[in-house]
Each structure stands twice: as structure tokens, then as C-alpha cells.
Amino acid sequence: MALIAMSGCTEGNVTPSAGSAETSAPATTAPPSLTPTAAGLDAAAKTACAAAEKDITSALKEIAETEKIGPPAGHLAVSAQYSAGAASLYVHAFTDNDQVNDAVEGVATAMTDLADIWAEAPEKVPSTTDLTTAQKILTTACAAGQGL
């Protein structure tokens, strides 16, 4: 009996696992939005997701405007905007949801990396692929509500 209980093969353990699989399935079909609609997110994580979406949108708008300045002054201005965007995001990385926190930090890190590249006055506009990927991870974290 002890072996069966320790192996995790009790009826009580099977039901929650099946329930967990069912709750994670909608995450793959969730719309790509940071709007916290997942029931699994606590209030702090929902607030962090909504605030992060607002800050990212605002930062990207400012960055697009600043890119119009052009070199050489534009490089430093764009770098500063990416840095400011990253700084605003770190404020939202302190919830009880590690998945949301890590995803917010991922976007902030990608913005910081772009700030560093722009500060070096690149020959051409750097790739934002890492930022886009980090944003998708954050969208998934906010939609899934996992990690609580």
C-alpha cells in the first residue's frame, strides 16, 4: 500500500492531473492579447499584465517617433526610449506569478539589449525579433495564468 501511495498512482492524483491538462489546453487557443482574461491569474498578475501591455504599447509608440529623428542624434534618442520602456516594465515584475514576472523581465531585457545596440550607433536598424518573441511569451503567460 505504501508503494502505491508513494508512486502517485492514487485516484486522487489522477483527477487533478487530468483537470490541469484541461485548464492548460485553452492557453494554446487564447487570443494574442495581454489583457488578463484567464481565470487562473490573481489580481496582482492581472494588473501587471494590463499595465505591461499599456507600457509596451506606449514605449513602442515613442520609439517609432524617435526613430524618425535619424542618425546620429536619433541613435541615442532611440536607445533612451528603449531604456525607459524597459525601466517601466520592471515595475510590473513583482507578482506572485513567476511565469508573468519572468515574461515581463524577458520583454524588459530585450528592450535593454536594443537600447545597447542603438547606443552604439548601428549601421542599420537592428532586428527586433528577440523583442517580438519576448512579447509573445508575455502574451502567453498573461493568457494562460499558469504558475500560481
Side-chain angles (χ1 to χ4, degrees):
M1 292 286 287
L3 276 177
I4 293 172
M6 291 183 352
S7 69
C9 292
T10 65
E11 185 177 334
N13 287 342
V14 172
T15 303
S17 295
S20 297
E22 290 175 17
T23 53
S24 64
T28 60
T29 59
S33 171
L34 293 179
T35 306
T37 57
L41 292 177
D42 66 8
K46 288 179 183 181
T47 300
C49 287
E53 178 177 30
K54 181 180 174 186
D55 286 352
I56 291 168
T57 300
S58 175
L60 293 177
K61 181 180 175 184
E62 293 293 325
I63 290 163
E65 288 297 315
T66 308
E67 284 180 342
K68 294 176 185 177
I69 296 171
H75 290 137
L76 294 177
V78 173
S79 174
Q81 288 299 331
Y82 271 116
S83 292
S88 70
L89 285 174
Y90 281 116
V91 172
H92 310 302
F94 298 102
T95 71
D96 289 335
N97 187 311
D98 290 338
Q99 187 177 11
V100 170
N101 295 346
D102 292 345
V104 169
E105 288 179 20
V107 174
T109 299
M111 285 185 160
T112 300
D113 292 346
L114 283 166
D116 292 344
I117 293 169
W118 276 101
E120 296 172 3
E123 296 279 324
K124 61 182 181 173
V125 174
S127 171
T128 57
T129 301
D130 289 345
L131 177 58
T132 301
T133 300
Q135 286 177 272
K136 288 178 183 177
I137 292 168
L138 178 58
T139 299
T140 300
C142 288
Q146 297 174 3
L148 294 177

